Amino acid sequence: MITTKDLTKVYSARGREVSALRGVDLHVREGEVYGVVGTSGAGKSTLIRCVNLLERPTSGTVTVDGVELTSLRGGEHRGGRELRAARRSIGMVFQHFNLLSSRTVRENVELPLELAGLGRTERRRKAGELLELVGLGDRAGAYPSKLSGGQKQRVGIARALAGDPKVLLSDEATSALDPETTRSILALLRDLNRQLGLTVLLITHEMEVIKSVCDSAALMRDGRIVESGTVADLLATEGSELARELFPLGEAPARPDGTILEITFQGDSAGRPFISQLARTYQIDLNILGAAVETIGGRQVGRMRVALPGRHQDNVVPIGYLREQGLQVDVLDPITDLSAAGPSTTDLANGAVA
Ligand code: ADP
């Protein structure tokens, strides 16, 4: 539904050039909620603004719903009209709502319909419907100053839906809201995604947002996407940074006794008592150091950190057993890592260092 190919954006500010995007390939499938996460300055806002051409990319292409937007020029000629029409199929919500304070809630929602040339009766009807959809049917005549932050964002969402878009872009829509309001706005986005089949691309700096609503996610750093995929695929990817951040287990102990395993489980494997089976089958006394389990999209997923006695090479068989169960296992062997500077005499004596 949304594809960017090798997207770059270079800003020139006060004689200095800033590369905000350095070759971004993004692929958002129809009907999914896709989250882009990253720290401040990673290029998230630039990316989302390039998707609806609020910002012209320096190079690369943007295709939304089969239309290559980057091939359409702005202005008053035919290409400009096509671009405006294509942009109407993309709604956008903003962190600070961007409502006009001099207009009522209804008039704010009517604004894009006015610009599209709709008559007064039709505009009123449509705005009324949209306000019902976002749960604000009874506040149509109020001014934005009388609304809470969550209500303002609902108006922002209703306005974004005025052009019956297929795609909704959300630029940190919940960053200015408290946790409870954040949850209700995310639930609304999820409902709209399901009810209307709306594809949602959101950017955020909060892992919680990714965890609670996203089907897929990408991690951005320094103008690049460094990891991306469905949340399930990311969890199954060895060493995935996003999976670690989605299911934080805290710091691993610096000098543990033994080998630490970080086990990721989801779907069928989540329901099996693999820890007790492992302990019984191999007569191991294992120690659980941390666990994070959640339900995402109705499936149980999570991570667990356990310590096995002995070193990595002593635990090859039980680790193999866990992997055979379909579990993702990352092995941390701090003893080996600590001795990486030079093998100990015992290693040499045991022939453990090849
Ligand atoms: P994020 O949304 O992840 O915080 P941005 O896309 O806002 O990141 O910014 C990416 C980089 O581009 C930053 O270094 C930022 O300073 C720079 N940048 C963003 N907008 C502009 C602009 N209009 N002019 C110059 N530099 C900009």
mmCIF file of all heavy atoms in Angstrom, residues 5 53 68 88 102 163 216 252 271 286 317:
data_model
loop_
_atom_site.group_PDB
_atom_site.id
_atom_site.type_symbol
_atom_site.label_atom_id
_atom_site.label_comp_id
_atom_site.label_asym_id
_atom_site.label_seq_id
_atom_site.Cartn_x
_atom_site.Cartn_y
_atom_site.Cartn_z
ATOM 1 N N LYS A 5 11.247 3.678 -2.200
ATOM 2 C CA LYS A 5 12.451 3.019 -2.707
ATOM 3 C C LYS A 5 13.616 3.992 -2.664
ATOM 4 O O LYS A 5 13.551 5.082 -3.235
ATOM 5 C CB LYS A 5 12.237 2.574 -4.158
ATOM 6 C CG LYS A 5 11.326 1.363 -4.278
ATOM 7 C CD LYS A 5 11.852 0.394 -5.362
ATOM 8 C CE LYS A 5 11.039 -0.886 -5.372
ATOM 9 N NZ LYS A 5 9.799 -0.767 -6.128
ATOM 10 N N LEU A 53 4.326 13.620 0.559
ATOM 11 C CA LEU A 53 4.958 14.709 -0.186
ATOM 12 C C LEU A 53 4.740 16.097 0.418
ATOM 13 O O LEU A 53 4.813 17.108 -0.277
ATOM 14 C CB LEU A 53 4.547 14.680 -1.665
ATOM 15 C CG LEU A 53 5.649 14.096 -2.571
ATOM 16 C CD1 LEU A 53 5.994 12.675 -2.201
ATOM 17 C CD2 LEU A 53 5.278 14.209 -4.018
ATOM 18 N N GLU A 68 2.511 6.469 -8.102
ATOM 19 C CA GLU A 68 3.851 6.935 -7.732
ATOM 20 C C GLU A 68 3.813 8.450 -7.565
ATOM 21 O O GLU A 68 3.840 9.209 -8.534
ATOM 22 C CB GLU A 68 4.879 6.529 -8.797
ATOM 23 C CG GLU A 68 6.297 6.763 -8.281
ATOM 24 C CD GLU A 68 7.352 6.670 -9.356
ATOM 25 O OE1 GLU A 68 7.282 5.769 -10.210
ATOM 26 O OE2 GLU A 68 8.252 7.538 -9.323
ATOM 27 N N ARG A 88 -5.404 13.413 -1.245
ATOM 28 C CA ARG A 88 -6.667 13.320 -0.508
ATOM 29 C C ARG A 88 -6.915 11.896 -0.005
ATOM 30 O O ARG A 88 -7.669 11.699 0.936
ATOM 31 C CB ARG A 88 -7.841 13.800 -1.378
ATOM 32 C CG ARG A 88 -8.092 15.283 -1.191
ATOM 33 C CD ARG A 88 -9.487 15.685 -1.642
ATOM 34 N NE ARG A 88 -9.635 15.627 -3.094
ATOM 35 C CZ ARG A 88 -9.223 16.576 -3.928
ATOM 36 N NH1 ARG A 88 -8.615 17.649 -3.454
ATOM 37 N NH2 ARG A 88 -9.420 16.455 -5.215
ATOM 38 N N SER A 102 -10.488 29.186 16.082
ATOM 39 C CA SER A 102 -11.637 30.046 15.801
ATOM 40 C C SER A 102 -12.807 29.266 15.201
ATOM 41 O O SER A 102 -13.864 29.826 14.934
ATOM 42 C CB SER A 102 -11.216 31.135 14.823
ATOM 43 O OG SER A 102 -10.769 30.521 13.630
ATOM 44 N N GLY A 163 -11.607 12.907 3.837
ATOM 45 C CA GLY A 163 -11.491 12.587 2.405
ATOM 46 C C GLY A 163 -11.601 11.094 2.118
ATOM 47 O O GLY A 163 -11.174 10.645 1.053
ATOM 48 N N SER A 216 3.354 -4.495 12.276
ATOM 49 C CA SER A 216 4.734 -4.501 11.791
ATOM 50 C C SER A 216 5.442 -3.271 12.330
ATOM 51 O O SER A 216 4.798 -2.295 12.712
ATOM 52 C CB SER A 216 4.771 -4.437 10.259
ATOM 53 O OG SER A 216 4.192 -5.587 9.714
ATOM 54 N N ALA A 252 21.623 -7.840 31.700
ATOM 55 C CA ALA A 252 22.060 -9.185 32.074
ATOM 56 C C ALA A 252 23.100 -9.043 33.186
ATOM 57 O O ALA A 252 23.841 -8.065 33.210
ATOM 58 C CB ALA A 252 22.674 -9.879 30.863
ATOM 59 N N GLY A 271 2.739 -22.013 24.690
ATOM 60 C CA GLY A 271 1.860 -22.799 25.553
ATOM 61 C C GLY A 271 2.540 -24.019 26.161
ATOM 62 O O GLY A 271 1.964 -24.674 27.022
ATOM 63 N N LEU A 286 18.080 -24.975 36.551
ATOM 64 C CA LEU A 286 18.236 -23.677 35.887
ATOM 65 C C LEU A 286 17.571 -22.581 36.686
ATOM 66 O O LEU A 286 16.682 -22.823 37.498
ATOM 67 C CB LEU A 286 17.759 -23.717 34.440
ATOM 68 C CG LEU A 286 16.447 -24.388 34.090
ATOM 69 C CD1 LEU A 286 15.326 -23.505 34.478
ATOM 70 C CD2 LEU A 286 16.450 -24.671 32.605
ATOM 71 N N VAL A 317 23.861 -29.374 24.062
ATOM 72 C CA VAL A 317 22.736 -30.294 23.871
ATOM 73 C C VAL A 317 21.408 -29.675 24.353
ATOM 74 O O VAL A 317 20.441 -29.622 23.594
ATOM 75 C CB VAL A 317 23.033 -31.668 24.515
ATOM 76 C CG1 VAL A 317 21.821 -32.586 24.398
ATOM 77 C CG2 VAL A 317 24.248 -32.302 23.842
#
